[in-house]
Amino acid sequence: MGARTKARKRAADILFEAEQRGIDPLKLLADRVAVPHTEASVPQYTVEIVEGVVAHRDRIDEVLETYSQGWTLARMPAVDRALLRIGTWEVLFNDDVPDAVALDEAVDLAGDLSTDDSPAFVNGLLGRVKDLKPTLLA
């Protein structure tokens, strides 16, 4: 597993845990960063992802709700929500990551972390976001 893949997984863990515990993801991130050089160490790219998702969360959630075709965010598995938020942030707001890489990474993590149906769902929704990117950013 590459460094960025590990960072994405760690970001998904933090976003998922914060949502499950009902706490601010930035507070949980700060708690994790405060404990360096442990198995729970937080890569810098994880920090960028979590901060980016939080900063753009309203827009990300709006996009996901609009294009998920019959699925509300609340109905989606929590792991899928975290991965979709990361993937959408990477596609729309992080120019350092090619869109195809963002999709592939989110789909692979969905296959590892979520339901059997999740990879196809994540791929379809993020593919739609990628295709609509020019109009979503206009």
Side-chain angles (χ1 to χ4, degrees), residues 26-52:
L26 295 177
K27 168 75 171 104
L28 181 60
L29 177 65
D31 291 347
R32 297 296 189 262
V33 170
V35 184
H37 309 297
T38 66
E39 213 172 281
S41 291
V42 179
Q44 179 56 40
Y45 191 56
T46 296
V47 174
E48 291 175 39
I49 292 170
V50 173
E51 289 176 346

Side-chain angles (χ1 to χ4, degrees), residues 53-108:
V53 167
V54 170
H56 297 283
R57 180 152 173 197
D58 290 343
R59 180 66 176 137
I60 289 168
D61 285 357
E62 175 189 345
V63 167
L64 293 174
E65 284 272 0
T66 300
Y67 297 104
S68 61
Q69 297 181 347
W71 284 80
T72 63
L73 279 173
R75 188 172 166 228
M76 294 175 196
V79 172
D80 293 2
R81 268 194 308 274
L83 296 173
L84 286 164
R85 285 172 174 150
I86 292 166
T88 302
W89 174 77
E90 283 189 320
V91 168
L92 296 180
F93 302 106
N94 186 357
D95 294 333
D96 293 339
V97 177
D99 294 345
V101 171
L103 265 71
D104 287 346
E105 290 284 334
V107 169
D108 287 347

